[in-house]
Amino acid sequence: MSLLHREIRKLRRDVDQERFRDHRRFLIACDDTHAPEQYFALLKMPRVEVIVVPTEDGTSTPVRVLDRLVRSAKKLEIDEELGDECWMILDTDHLVEGEHLRGFTAAIREANQKGIRVAISRPCFEVWLLLHQVDEGIVRPLETCNQVITALKLVVGQYSKSKLRAEHYKAGSGLEAISRAERLDANVTGGDIPAGTT
């Protein structure tokens, strides 16, 4: 389930009434330091609280991202029965080659075992940002993060990971980005490690 699609929660009469709250929490940890945190801060959704776990000390390996997410979920008392969700967001850019591959797949496997949802961008998070602006046919052939960022700059006029502009990522464009991402993902193979841009 995406952050923009809301699943109807069933009323649980057997759960202690003090545990109910009028909003859901989405706890997100990612390997990118700036762009995802800013992007999710721009989203304004009724009855949804999005909490982005910050990158610590520049450590962004998938194993460290998962560790930060698990620690934060315990500290913040994330509760699936209340509709809360934990998400680990990873880029593939340089993490699916050589010695990094083992840690990448191990983190995904452990996240799945713990019920943590995983979102993977290939090659980078900026694919998601670009899908707010253009059709997936333009995004599909882009293979490197530099190519994606260049395309993003051409469309929005400028791009800085540390200074996203709200007018480029309005809620309506998020719904269109979801549709475009679904169409893009439909033809990508590779399982946990996507074989193409996604």
Side-chain angles (χ1 to χ4, degrees):
M1 175 176 32
S2 75
L3 297 178
L4 299 177
H5 288 131
R6 183 171 166 86
E7 183 177 279
I8 297 172
R9 291 184 284 167
K10 296 177 181 154
L11 181 61
R12 296 267 323 258
R13 298 195 190 290
D14 58 333
V15 177
D16 181 4
Q17 292 295 316
E18 291 181 13
R19 291 185 54 219
F20 283 102
R21 58 177 130 80
D22 68 348
H23 67 282
R24 301 169 65 196
R25 289 181 175 162
F26 284 81
L27 185 64
I28 299 170
C30 40
D31 57 4
D32 190 304
T33 305
H34 302 289
E37 183 173 6
Q38 289 182 67
Y39 173 79
F40 290 113
L42 296 173
L43 298 180
K44 303 294 182 215
M45 295 175 284
R47 299 177 59 195
V48 174
E49 178 184 11
V50 179
I51 305 163
V52 178
V53 179
T55 300
E56 299 170 345
D57 303 325
T59 55
S60 61
T61 65
V63 172
R64 294 294 300 269
V65 172
L66 180 59
D67 179 59
R68 287 195 314 268
L69 182 60
V70 170
R71 283 186 286 122
S72 295
K74 287 179 185 174
K75 182 179 176 183
L76 295 170
E77 299 178 354
I78 298 299
D79 189 338
E80 287 183 20
E81 289 186 13
L82 296 178
D84 297 343
E85 295 181 15
C86 290
W87 284 82
M88 181 170 69
I89 300 177
L90 301 174
D91 295 347
T92 63
D93 47 4
H94 66 281
L95 296 174
V96 293
E97 299 171 355
E99 62 186 54
H100 297 293
L101 180 59
R102 185 177 301 135
F104 190 88
T105 55
I108 292 170
R109 189 171 38 254
E110 186 179 344
N112 289 330
Q113 291 168 353
K114 293 177 185 265
I116 294 170
R117 290 159 174 86
V118 180
I120 298 174
S121 296
R122 181 166 192 144
C124 54
F125 181 77
E126 283 77 8
V127 167
W128 173 245
L129 300 179
L130 185 56
L131 286 169
H132 282 65
Q133 312 298 329
V134 299
D135 186 73
E136 70 278 1
I138 294 170
V139 177
R140 187 173 289 116
L142 305 175
E143 297 178 352
T144 68
C145 195
N146 284 339
Q147 290 173 334
V148 174
I149 290 173
T150 298
L152 191 56
K153 286 179 180 178
L154 287 172
V155 174
V156 299
Q158 62 83 32
Y159 174 72
S160 169
K161 277 183 173 282
S162 59
K163 294 182 182 177
L164 295 189
R165 296 178 61 178
E167 63 268 19
H168 297 153
Y169 311 104
K170 295 181 180 176
S173 68
L175 296 174
E176 186 63 33
I178 290 169
S179 296
R180 291 169 175 162
E182 288 171 347
R183 291 191 299 267
L184 183 64
D185 293 352
N187 298 317
V188 175
T189 60
D192 289 341
I193 302 173
T197 302
T198 187

